[in-house]
Amino acid sequence: MGSNSSRIGDLPKNEYLKKLSGTESVSENDPFWNQLLSFSFPAPTSSTELKLLEEATISVCRSLVENNPRTGNLGALIKVFLSRTKELKLSAECQNHIFIWQTHNALFIICCLLKVFICEMSEEELQLHFTYEEKSPGNYSSDSEDLLEELLCCLMQLITDIPLLDITYEISVEAISTMVVFLSCQLFHKEVLRQSISHKYLMRGPCLPYTSKLVKTLLYNFIRQEKPPPPGAHVFPQQSDGGGLLYGLASGVATGLWTVFTLGGVGSKAAASPELSSPLANQSLLLLLVLANLTDASDVPNPYRQAIMSFKNTQDSSPFPSSIPHAFQINFNSLYTALCEQQTSDQATLLLYTLLHQNSNIRTYMLARTDMENLVLPILEILYHVEERNSHHVYMALIILLILTEDDGFNRSIHEVILKNITWYSERVLTEISLGSLLILVVIRTVQYNMTRTRDKYLHTNCLAALANMSAQFRSLHQYAAQRIISYTCRHLRRYVYVLDKLYFPHSHCSTLQHCFSTLSDNGEELLSLTCSHILRSYASSLFSLLSKKHNKVLEQATQSLRGSLSSNDVPLPDYAQDLNVIEEVIRMMLEIINSCLTNSLHHNPNLVYALLYKRDLFEQFRTHPSFQDIMQNIDLVITFFSSRLLQAGAELSVERVLEIIKQGVVALPKDRLKQILVAY
């Protein structure tokens, strides 16, 4: 480095880096620092180049780790940076490019070194490198200043107080990135840290007063989505992709940090990195998420989470309760717009989940919006492309829907929003459909994908829970949405019988039931033929009589097999036994959803009744089944009532005539005979 541009391959031999990491102490007033900081480093633009940088500088960094306790050169570098930041605001106002450039370079080096130090040593050792100075070999001052705390306070001041200009954009990004790297200590500990140096400095002392201002600044950075300045706007080179070395370095650290905080966990599939238009906004969002997910200290709650939980709209003039610390106000409309536009990134989805889950002011505001489709459609698109997304991205999108569907007003309003030409939905051309019907289609598709691919019980249970929350408010369901609800239920009813057949007649490879099911397509769209219906009815009747005695015993054996309680001499049960309980749970939840709609909004959903009658042959087999008899009462009543009215109307009825008979019959249906079923998740 130094006054000439450096290449990665030249770094181990660089004379300035050798002096920094060597055995000679360098005073903070030495002209050496001006020479060291006058470099234009070609920042790596890929993970491969970042790895090359770490490999090229590891010898220099380890040399500094070894020699710094005697030289104090890391402390001297930090003091140089701290002294320069005192004049940074004035330098920005005066357009002092050279001064800002060198200050940026100092922070650049500090962040690179900090990452290595955190990787190489414990927190206690790291703290010693920032707190002691050599007086004589083996003798260190006990009252030396805590440079690490000063550095963090300085970074918070830089982020919140320095005006965002073309010449300060890069140093603002580096300041945020350095804080992210500092918080990466959690990555190197298996247990949850509650007494880490991050708790010591960020939750107490001189850093604490900056809490609300820092959170507010990071949120506004995310809202504004400021792009990097064009080339030539500052004296140090602007990379074509924006962000520089420290952006890439700290972004990787932050991604690892907040992935651990989500349900996807460390083992989730890596997301494709989207093209970033605003490194500052992205880094601000990552830092905000990491701060929000810091664990509470043993005696102090996380103040950054408190700030996120309590901030209000700028249009809200009500005073803050004295019991709420770190409160502030922000423009909710701008925040809502940014959240709607940025849901392609999983970190933005995590922010939306965090705000909906923890800030009641935000949740109330969003549920009152009249343009909820701007928020819901991006969430549905995430679920629709489930195979292309990280598991934690899908989980967050699903939980957001679960939170929203807990509100009856939301469940009513989404059926009033009419959408046209949903281009990303490819299964069927949807020229016009309500937002509520589209939500049903996407959620059913997601749970169907999960049952056939990932087989994640958490995912399908929560998908069905979202539908259950909505079911009492179903209104004017699209014909295709109603058809998919019934078809999906029928598919699992058929699968249930198939699994039972394999359990009790495993050697009947040419059984009548298997032959019957071989005639059915997977998507369950077509009606059973009369022949298959007759065979299934007679076969299922005798089979269910047998199964009623053995069903619980098989489930118990399957559970024991999963827990490994069977002896080594026992033959393990087939996968069908393991699937049985999951399939039964899905069926019950789908039947509950249908029941809820029938008891609460039957008159609003003639298409659902039509689809139910269309598949009535399969439902009739389950009216006396011990596992579903209770939940089938309402469905059986509706099928019987409307079937009789259709028989009275004659044969060969058109679709329009059937729907007309259904609409007329709803008025005459004895609703007092429908059993009320409470469905809420």
Side-chain angles (χ1 to χ4, degrees):
M1 295 188 178
S3 57
N4 297 321
S5 297
S6 302
R7 295 180 302 172
I8 290 179
D10 298 332
L11 294 180
K13 302 176 182 178
N14 185 279
E15 59 178 302
Y16 298 101
L17 289 180
K18 283 186 174 182
K19 185 173 182 178
L20 173 67
S21 61
T23 57
E24 177 187 351
S25 295
V26 182
S27 168
E28 60 191 275
N29 299 317
D30 196 299
F32 160 80
W33 299 109
N34 285 330
Q35 297 169 328
L36 174 68
L37 301 179
S38 298
F39 66 86
S40 296
F41 191 86
T45 57
S46 67
S47 58
T48 302
E49 293 180 357
L50 285 171
K51 186 176 181 180
L52 290 175
L53 173 67
E54 292 188 3
E55 292 175 351
T57 57
I58 191 63
S59 60
V60 173
C61 293
R62 286 178 176 171
S63 177
L64 182 63
V65 169
E66 180 181 352
N67 295 321
N68 184 67
R70 292 181 294 277
T71 64
N73 286 345
L74 177 61
L77 173 60
I78 292 175
K79 289 179 181 179
V80 170
F81 171 73
L82 293 175
S83 65
R84 286 172 174 269
T85 54
K86 295 176 182 178
E87 304 176 33
L88 198 58
K89 189 171 183 179
L90 179 61
S91 299
E93 295 173 354
C94 298
Q95 298 287 304
N96 190 336
H97 291 251
I98 301 297
F99 187 89
I100 295 175
W101 169 46
Q102 291 188 337
T103 307
H104 165 273
N105 287 348
L107 184 56
F108 178 95
I109 298 174
I110 291 170
C111 191
C112 287
L113 294 175
L114 182 61
K115 179 178 183 293
V116 175
F117 274 58
I118 289 174
C119 293
E120 294 284 326
M121 62 187 66
S122 67
E123 287 190 304
E124 293 75 14
E125 293 173 313
L126 174 66
Q127 198 167 10
L128 288 176
H129 278 273
F130 283 85
T131 54
Y132 58 54
E133 300 174 5
E134 183 186 25
K135 300 303 179 182
S136 61
N139 181 24
Y140 305 103
S141 172
S142 60
D143 58 350
S144 58
E145 55 190 335
D146 193 336
L147 287 178
L148 188 52
E149 186 172 42
E150 284 191 52
L151 175 62
L152 283 174
C153 285
C154 177
L155 292 175
M156 296 176 83
Q157 290 175 350
L158 195 159
I159 295 169
T160 57
D161 294 343
I162 300 301
L164 186 60
L165 308 171
D166 283 352
I167 60 173
T168 61
Y169 188 94
E170 289 291 338
I171 195 171
S172 296
V173 173
E174 303 301 349
I176 295 171
S177 299
T178 305
M179 287 199 66
V180 172
V181 170
F182 168 71
L183 290 168
S184 66
C185 292
Q186 178 67 77
L187 290 177
F188 304 96
H189 292 78
K190 293 182 179 180
E191 70 282 359
V192 175
L193 294 179
R194 299 185 186 277
Q195 297 291 341
S196 67
I197 54 175
S198 60
H199 289 85
K200 176 180 177 180
Y201 296 125
L202 294 177
M203 299 187 185
R204 302 177 180 87
C207 291
L208 187 60
Y210 289 94
T211 297
S212 59
K213 195 172 184 180
L214 177 63
V215 172
K216 184 176 182 179
T217 300
L218 296 175
L219 278 173
Y220 268 125
N221 286 345
F222 169 72
I223 290 171
R224 295 188 183 107
Q225 294 289 317
E226 291 284 352
K227 296 182 179 180
H234 39 56
V235 295
F236 46 98
Q238 170 67 29
Q239 298 301 312
S240 58
D241 67 338
L245 166 67
L246 260 293
Y247 163 70
L249 181 148
S251 179
V253 170
T255 301
L257 265 176
W258 73 261
T259 297
V260 174
F261 294 134
T262 65
L263 294 171
V266 180
S268 299
K269 180 178 71 174
S273 299
E275 183 177 350
L276 299 172
S277 59
S278 176
L280 178 65
N282 187 69
Q283 289 301 91
S284 296
L285 177 54
L286 291 175
L287 177 57
L288 182 65
L289 292 172
V290 173
L291 288 171
N293 285 283
L294 287 176
T295 56
D296 295 334
S298 57
D299 57 341
V300 180
N302 181 350
Y304 304 93
R305 187 185 300 120
Q306 287 182 320
I308 289 174
M309 291 173 59
S310 59
F311 72 84
K312 300 194 306 183
N313 195 354
T314 50
Q315 297 180 354
D316 187 348
S317 58
S318 61
F320 285 102
S322 57
S323 59
I324 299 181
H326 315 296
F328 63 92
Q329 290 180 295
I330 202 168
N331 189 304
F332 277 15
N333 183 62
S334 300
L335 179 58
Y336 178 82
T337 301
L339 287 168
C340 293
E341 294 174 350
Q342 300 301 319
Q343 288 307 304
T344 52
S345 74
D346 37 8
Q347 54 264 37
T349 304
L350 180 55
L351 175 63
L352 174 58
Y353 159 73
T354 301
L355 295 177
L356 280 173
H357 181 252
Q358 299 188 2
N359 191 312
S360 59
N361 300 320
I362 281 284
R363 184 167 60 253
T364 301
Y365 174 85
M366 288 186 176
L367 289 171
R369 296 281 303 201
T370 58
D371 59 348
M372 278 298 293
E373 67 273 16
N374 292 337
L375 185 66
V376 175
L377 281 175
I379 299 300
L380 294 182
E381 197 167 354
I382 293 169
L383 294 177
Y384 186 80
H385 298 292
V386 58
E387 65 279 0
E388 302 173 9
R389 302 293 183 181
N390 281 332
S391 59
H392 57 256
H393 199 182
V394 174
Y395 286 142
M396 290 301 102
L398 176 57
I399 295 174
I400 287 169
L401 286 185
L402 203 55
I403 293 173
L404 294 175
T405 57
E406 289 174 351
D407 183 78
D408 286 341
F410 171 84
N411 294 331
R412 285 191 297 269
S413 64
I414 56 175
H415 291 288
E416 300 170 358
V417 178
I418 304 301
L419 309 170
K420 297 182 183 295
N421 299 319
I422 307 300
T423 56
W424 48 263
Y425 192 93
S426 58
E427 271 79 359
R428 178 171 294 196
V429 176
L430 300 175
T431 56
E432 186 174 288
I433 189 171
S434 70
L435 179 60
S437 292
L438 180 63
L439 193 156
I440 292 169
L441 290 175
V442 172
V443 171
I444 289 178
R445 183 183 184 275
T446 303
V447 72
Q448 188 167 337
Y449 172 87
N450 173 67
M451 292 292 289
T452 57
R453 303 285 186 87
T454 58
R455 305 174 71 83
D456 184 340
K457 183 178 179 180
Y458 174 87
L459 187 62
H460 84 250
T461 300
N462 283 279
C463 283
L464 295 176
L467 291 179
N469 288 343
M470 296 171 56
S471 59
Q473 304 295 334
F474 283 172
R475 295 289 188 275
S476 304
L477 290 181
H478 190 277
Q479 179 183 3
Y480 184 51
Q483 182 181 354
R484 293 299 293 147
I485 292 174
I486 303 302
S487 296
Y488 180 73
T489 308
C490 289
R491 181 178 183 180
H492 279 83
L493 289 171
R494 289 197 297 270
R495 175 65 179 168
Y496 185 73
V497 176
Y498 176 80
V499 169
L500 293 174
D501 181 50
K502 296 296 289 185
L503 274 173
Y504 294 105
F505 303 96
H507 304 296
S508 302
H509 300 296
C510 299
S511 71
T512 305
L513 185 62
Q514 286 178 301
H515 176 72
C516 173
F517 276 101
S518 68
T519 65
L520 304 177
S521 71
D522 288 337
N523 62 16
E525 294 297 325
E526 60 282 286
L527 183 63
L528 292 171
S529 67
L530 292 176
T531 302
C532 287
S533 297
H534 176 73
I535 294 173
L536 178 61
R537 184 180 297 108
S538 59
Y539 186 90
S541 176
S542 59
L543 178 63
F544 290 155
S545 175
L546 172 65
L547 294 181
S548 62
K549 301 176 181 179
K550 295 185 177 180
H551 178 61
N552 292 334
K553 182 178 180 180
V554 170
L555 288 181
E556 180 181 353
Q557 290 176 343
T559 302
Q560 292 176 351
S561 177
L562 286 173
R563 293 175 178 173
S565 60
L566 294 178
S567 66
S568 59
N569 296 327
D570 290 326
V571 178
L573 290 173
D575 290 340
Y576 297 108
Q578 301 175 14
D579 293 342
L580 191 61
N581 197 27
V582 174
I583 297 173
E584 185 173 314
E585 180 182 348
V586 172
I587 293 173
R588 285 199 65 86
M589 291 188 72
M590 289 302 301
L591 293 177
E592 287 176 358
I593 291 168
I594 296 171
N595 265 286
S596 178
C597 181
L598 295 179
T599 56
N600 292 283
S601 55
L602 179 63
H603 58 291
H604 289 296
N605 295 289
N607 282 330
L608 184 66
V609 178
Y610 183 95
L612 194 61
L613 293 172
Y614 191 70
K615 298 291 186 181
R616 64 183 178 270
D617 291 322
L618 187 59
F619 280 100
E620 287 175 359
Q621 321 315 316
F622 291 86
R623 65 171 62 172
T624 58
H625 189 287
S627 295
F628 308 115
Q629 187 174 12
D630 60 331
I631 202 73
M632 281 294 299
Q633 293 179 14
N634 288 344
I635 296 175
D636 186 40
L637 173 64
V638 170
I639 290 176
T640 302
F641 176 81
F642 285 100
S643 294
S644 64
R645 295 184 73 90
L646 291 177
L647 286 175
Q648 295 173 9
E652 298 183 2
L653 300 174
S654 65
V655 174
E656 292 76 14
R657 177 57 181 156
V658 172
L659 286 172
E660 183 181 346
I661 293 172
I662 291 172
K663 292 176 181 178
Q664 294 171 353
V666 167
V667 180
L669 179 70
K671 297 182 179 58
D672 58 323
R673 293 173 57 190
L674 291 175
K675 180 182 177 182
Q676 289 290 332
I677 297 178
L678 180 63
V679 181
Y681 293 89

